[in-house]
Structures are given as structure tokens and as C-alpha cells.
Amino acid sequence: MKEENLRVFLSSIVKYFAHTSDPSVNVGAPYLVDEIKDACKDYTGLISISGDYNGVCYFSAPAVLLRHLILSVGETDTSESMMLDAVGEVANTLSGNARKELGKGFEISAPHITKGLPTMETEGEGNRIYAIPIQWKSYKAMLGISLH
Amino acid sequence: MHRLMIVDDSKLIRQRIAREYDADTFELIGTAENGADAIDLFEQSSPDVVTMDLTMPKLDGIDCIEQLISRDPSTKILVISALNDTSIGIEALEKGAMGFITKPFSGADLKAALKEIIDD
């Protein structure tokens, strides 16, 4: 994966949070981790990438961020099922928006959503993950991308 | 009054659309979380306006559009998807959709896009 491809994901994060009640989101410098568990919060929505690219894109967030995010779009149901739904929808939106630059060969799956550590692994050795720290309000989330 | 059906695998998005549409113009007849359920609901309830996600399990949005239009070519379909590239938008329009907005969207974006497809 080329580092310049990361820019489109950074733009997607800013665009996503611009549509919430608090558009000020801080996106940190990406860094490399070996495994998803190294950059993972309470809930994770993971998208499998296929086509011209292979890999994963995931959004991982603490429960409190998801509750606040759900409330910020006017929804009052902050049950666990809704938090799982929300983390999957954010992952879907951030990865789907990346097609603007990566093209139609960047094919995304429906989200795999988990509480705790995702069971899906990135394929093959040497496929490290770019972890992009996100701070929205006082909460810290993570966008992970591994493409090859 | 237009009969509206919402199709999206995210409950959060389904409820968001259900809260944001113009209730003076649309009556919500039901929601579906995948393309296969949308076909069943369409046959039972005959909506004339549909909001359609694209990336869904079981039957994706592009195939679902094709099936809905084959059943009733006058159906007005607004695609609401995170897939932000022109080729998928063109494919959806070629299958019979009449509009396309990308996620994330505002309530004003949704109202304007729905108005545009019913005025078309």
C-alpha cells in the first residue's frame, strides 16, 4: 500500500465527523502495527477489501464514543446492537468513500462487526496495518488499513 | 402522498432516514435490511419511492434495483451509499435508479434528493 493512499482515508474521517453534532475531529499521524489487536477498542467494524486490492479496513471505537455518536445523529437507542450497527456503518462509510480515489477496483464487503477483538486476521506475513488515531470530543478511536 | 420504502443494512441509517424525510409528502410503508427482504416488502406493499443502499448482504443494491424496476418500471429509486465513485452511480442509474447521494448525508441532502426524484 502506498502511503499517499492514506490521504483519502484521512479525508473520509474528516468528512464523516463533519456530519455529526461536533465536526471538530482530530486525526493523528498514521503508524504501523503488526496485528489488529495492537490498535483496537471496544467495538470494531471490519470491511474486507477485494478486487484490485486485498486486505481490510476497520474502524474501532470505545462504547462511549459510539453512544455519543448515536445520540448526536438524533437516535435515542444506544443499546449494544445499535452500537454494533453504528461501528459497522462508520467502517462502511469511511471505506466506501475511499473509492473516490482508489476507484471501482476497491471493492468492499458488508461490515463484519464485533465486540472485543475481531476474529478476522490480516492475510499473510508482512501485511502490516496502518493505524490512524482519531479523537472526537474526548474519545479516542482508530481506523486501521491493511492493503496489498 | 408517496409511499416510501427504506432499504439499508444499518438500523441506524434506516431510522435516520425515517426521521428525516418530509412527512407531508411521504408515507413510510416499511423498511428492509437487505435486497432480498426489499423484494418481498415491495411485492407486499407496492411503494412508489425507494431509498436504496448498495453494499448489503444477501442481495446487493444494484441487483435489487434491477429486480424492483423489472416489477414496476415507474418506481423512483434514490441510492444512498457510502460508495463514492462515479462508475457505481452510473451503473445504478443505468439499472433504473433516479438519484444518488453519498453517505454521510445531511437531512437537507436527503429531503432535496427525494424531492428531486419525485419532481422528475
Side-chain angles (χ1 to χ4, degrees), chain B residues 5-46:
Chain B
M5 176 171 84
I6 299 168
V7 186
D8 199 299
D9 61 344
S10 166
K11 184 179 178 186
L12 188 65
I13 297 295
R14 292 196 303 274
Q15 294 190 180
R16 170 109 194 272
I17 296 169
R19 254 197 333 273
E20 302 269 11
Y21 69 82
D22 181 356
D24 292 334
T25 308
F26 299 94
E27 169 195 13
L28 181 63
I29 60 91
T31 67
E33 63 182 49
N34 59 62
D37 290 351
I39 302 293
D40 291 341
L41 182 59
F42 186 86
E43 291 182 337
Q44 292 163 21
S45 305
S46 303

Side-chain angles (χ1 to χ4, degrees), chain A:
Chain A
M1 178 181 172
K2 296 174 183 172
E3 284 191 37
E4 55 261 35
N5 288 341
L6 288 174
R7 279 199 299 268
V8 69
F9 291 99
L10 303 180
S11 301
S12 294
I13 293 166
V14 172
K15 182 181 173 190
Y16 185 88
F17 285 95
H19 281 78
T20 67
S21 61
D22 184 355
S24 58
V25 62
N26 291 314
V27 183
Y31 59 93
L32 283 164
V33 296
D34 290 322
E35 299 180 69
I36 291 176
K37 68 178 175 60
D38 297 330
C40 196
K41 305 291 184 182
D42 300 341
Y43 292 86
T44 300
L46 186 146
I47 305 291
S48 297
I49 310 297
S50 58
D52 293 345
Y53 300 83
N54 280 297
V56 298
C57 174
Y58 67 89
F59 175 72
S60 193
V64 63
L65 183 149
L66 295 170
R67 279 193 209 100
H68 207 137
L69 188 62
I70 290 165
L71 292 169
S72 81
V73 295
E75 179 56 56
T76 55
D77 175 4
T78 58
S79 62
E80 182 161 292
S81 67
M82 192 61 96
M83 286 195 285
L84 286 163
D85 186 290
V87 80
E89 186 57 25
V90 177
N92 173 63
T93 302
L94 297 181
S95 54
N97 283 186
R99 278 176 62 135
K100 185 173 185 180
E101 283 191 20
L102 300 179
K104 64 178 181 181
F106 183 79
E107 297 176 10
I108 67 172
S109 72
H112 309 274
I113 50 180
T114 55
K115 181 180 182 184
L117 196 61
T119 52
M120 186 174 286
E121 301 290 336
T122 55
E123 292 178 14
E125 292 184 12
N127 294 321
R128 301 179 75 193
I129 300 162
Y130 283 96
I132 304 175
I134 299 166
Q135 181 167 339
W136 183 65
K137 298 186 179 293
S138 59
Y139 319 124
K140 292 179 179 173
M142 194 68 71
L143 181 68
I145 305 145
S146 176
L147 293 179
H148 51 98

